[in-house]
């Protein structure tokens, strides 16, 4: 058999292996689907805010932690890294399930088959065309068939991978529907603070729990109930199961990143910018993550702990924190300013401090100056109407 025939045989064998691998991966398990894109105009896109759930725990129940959060216990292998385990964490969102399937059924088989094929081809070339076996080198410079194949085959593989990838990318950034629970995560050096704008403006701050030999006087040390070392926090983020979550991230100082592997979420928190995504947790439990953007000396000590509970337990926790539940199905009408912007908590505190330092101001009545509206030209009181 000539050189051209051997090359064609090798290429054909590689294509056959790739087709068999892709076919086996696709049949191995049913294909999950990512969360659907936002509904078109005229179609209801309201998130469910009530669901059949167990009654909330009584105030004296041991299932309530010291901060009012349901005291779930971390489960090995769920929502956290595990020693000796190869692969992604079990996913509890639709996007995560689809991405997990895509990794196992498409990406990993394709990578394995291509790597083995290239390795085999290199070994064959080294043995077949070594100087001892081929004392007179071939002077062949071109083979049109082979060149067409090795150009079109990678393009076809990339297109097949791109199709589900684009759908997953679109689903990761779909707008949250009306009635979603809004969680604003703010990165700080080096801890996370959280706000629930639609639930009475509840705010919590989450710091990493220290070990017993590191905790100072009056500080609570980490226990096995809190979670793994370097991942447990003194306050947990509490979110409902089965209800869409609208996640908004920002930062007060440098760039951080809010990442929870079990949710398939990694969203940068950038100073002066609001980033947004949405997801829905499908299973109750305790899930951990970390800041995934190098943010300074204590970057490794910014853990994230999320406790997913039933809607009834979430409502009980909101009430325990002094918050209120919004109207079911209503769209969020809260203005969420960036840190440092007019209307933000920092600016409000700064204004209050300046007012307290300046003392009371005499309430003198003055007439508003007349101005002209931009739209009608009618004189009116000062303001931005019509502009």
């Amino acid at each position: 058999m000539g050189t051209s025939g051997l090359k064609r045989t090798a290429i054909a064998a590689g294509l056959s292996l790739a087709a068999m691998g892709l076919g086996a991966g696709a049949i191995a398990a049913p294909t999950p689907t990512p969360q659907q894109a936002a509904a078109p105009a005229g179609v209801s896109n309201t998130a469910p805010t009530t669901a059949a759930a167990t009654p909330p725990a009584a105030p004296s129940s041991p299932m309530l932690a010291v901060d009012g959060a349901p005291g779930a216990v971390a489960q090995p292998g769920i929502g956290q890294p595990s020693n000796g385990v190869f692969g992604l964490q079990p996913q509890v969102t639709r996007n995560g399930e689809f991405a997990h399937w895509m990794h196992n059924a498409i990406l990993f088989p394709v990578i394995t088959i291509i790597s083995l094929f290239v390795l085999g081809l290199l070994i064959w070339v080294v043995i077949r065309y070594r100087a001892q076996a081929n004392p007179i080198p071939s002077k062949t410079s071109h083979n049109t068939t082979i060149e067409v194949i090795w150009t079109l085959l990678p393009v076809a593989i990339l297109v097949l991978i791109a199709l589900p990838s684009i759908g997953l990318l679109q689903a990761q950034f779909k707008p949250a529907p009306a009635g979603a629970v809004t969680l604003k995560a703010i990165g700080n050096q080096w801890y996370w603070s959280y706000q629930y704008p639609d639930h009475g403006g509840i705010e919590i701050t989450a710091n990493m729990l220290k070990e017993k030999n590191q905790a100072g006087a009056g500080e609570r040390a980490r226990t096995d109930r809190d979670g793994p070392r370097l991942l447990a926090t003194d306050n947990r983020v509490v979110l409902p199961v089965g209800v869409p979550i609208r996640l908004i991230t920002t930062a007060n100082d440098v760039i951080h990143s809010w990442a929870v592997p079990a949710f398939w979420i990694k969203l940068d928190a950038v100073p002066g910018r609001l980033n947004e995504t949405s997801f829905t947790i499908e299973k109750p439990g305790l899930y951990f993550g970390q800041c995934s953007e190098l943010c300074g000396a204590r970057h490794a000590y910014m853990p994230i702990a999320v406790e997913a509970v039933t809607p009834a337990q979430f409502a009980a926790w909101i009430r325990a924190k002094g918050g209120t539940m919004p109207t079911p199905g209503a769209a969020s009408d809260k203005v969420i300013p960036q840190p440092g912007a007019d209307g933000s908590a920092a600016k409000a505190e700064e204004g209050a401090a300046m007012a307290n330092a300046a003392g009371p101001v005499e309430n003198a009545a003055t007439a508003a100056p007349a101005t002209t509206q931009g739209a009608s030209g009618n004189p009116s009181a000062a303001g931005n109407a019509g502009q």
Side-chain angles (χ1 to χ4, degrees), residues 87-344:
L88 303 175
Q89 291 186 18
Q91 298 296 305
V92 293
T93 64
R94 290 184 61 182
N95 286 343
E97 292 173 352
F98 180 80
H100 201 173
W101 169 86
M102 183 177 173
H103 173 271
N104 292 340
I106 299 180
L107 298 181
F108 192 76
V110 168
I111 292 171
T112 303
I113 292 170
I114 292 176
S115 299
L116 293 177
F117 172 67
V118 172
L119 177 61
L121 194 59
L122 288 174
I123 294 174
W124 173 68
V125 169
V126 169
I127 296 175
R128 171 64 180 83
Y129 295 102
R130 70 190 191 277
Q132 183 179 357
N134 193 39
I136 302 176
S138 171
K139 296 183 179 180
T140 302
S141 60
H142 293 283
N143 186 302
T144 304
T145 302
I146 296 299
E147 290 177 356
V148 169
I149 291 176
W150 73 37
T151 300
L152 296 182
L153 181 59
V155 173
I157 293 175
L158 291 176
V159 169
L160 291 176
I161 294 176
L163 293 178
S165 298
I166 293 174
L168 177 61
L169 184 64
Q170 179 190 23
Q172 285 180 286
F173 293 96
K174 60 164 284 189
V181 172
T182 302
L183 174 67
K184 183 179 180 182
I186 305 172
N188 307 273
Q189 290 181 312
W190 288 270
Y191 62 93
W192 291 98
S193 54
Y194 300 94
Q195 299 175 358
Y196 291 78
D198 299 330
H199 296 80
I202 297 173
E203 296 188 24
I204 61 175
T205 299
N207 287 278
M208 185 189 73
L209 286 175
K210 299 179 181 179
E211 299 300 298
K212 291 182 179 179
N213 59 347
Q214 299 173 336
E219 292 183 334
R220 184 167 74 89
R222 183 193 68 86
T223 65
D224 291 339
R225 288 181 59 90
D226 295 312
R229 188 179 75 91
L230 300 180
L231 291 179
T233 62
D234 54 356
N235 289 314
R236 298 172 179 173
V237 178
V238 180
L239 295 173
V241 171
V243 179
I245 308 300
R246 177 192 181 202
L247 174 65
I248 298 175
T249 60
T250 188
N252 279 322
D253 33 53
V254 298
I255 299 177
H256 302 273
S257 185
W258 200 88
V260 179
F263 298 165
W264 202 257
I265 289 292
K266 181 181 183 296
L267 192 64
D268 281 353
V270 183
R273 179 183 178 90
L274 299 178
N275 287 335
E276 180 177 335
T277 187
S278 64
F279 59 95
T280 302
I281 307 172
E282 297 183 343
K283 298 178 182 178
L286 188 55
Y287 307 98
F288 296 95
Q290 287 178 305
C291 175
S292 296
E293 190 73 43
L294 188 59
C295 58
R298 295 185 60 83
H299 159 68
Y301 308 109
M302 288 184 62
I304 300 165
V306 178
E307 188 162 349
V309 299
T310 63
Q313 287 179 312
F314 175 73
W317 180 77
I318 291 293
R319 289 192 292 269
K321 286 292 187 180
T324 56
M325 294 297 293
T327 303
S332 175
D333 60 351
K334 300 297 186 295
V335 177
I336 304 178
Q338 301 173 359
D342 292 339
S344 65

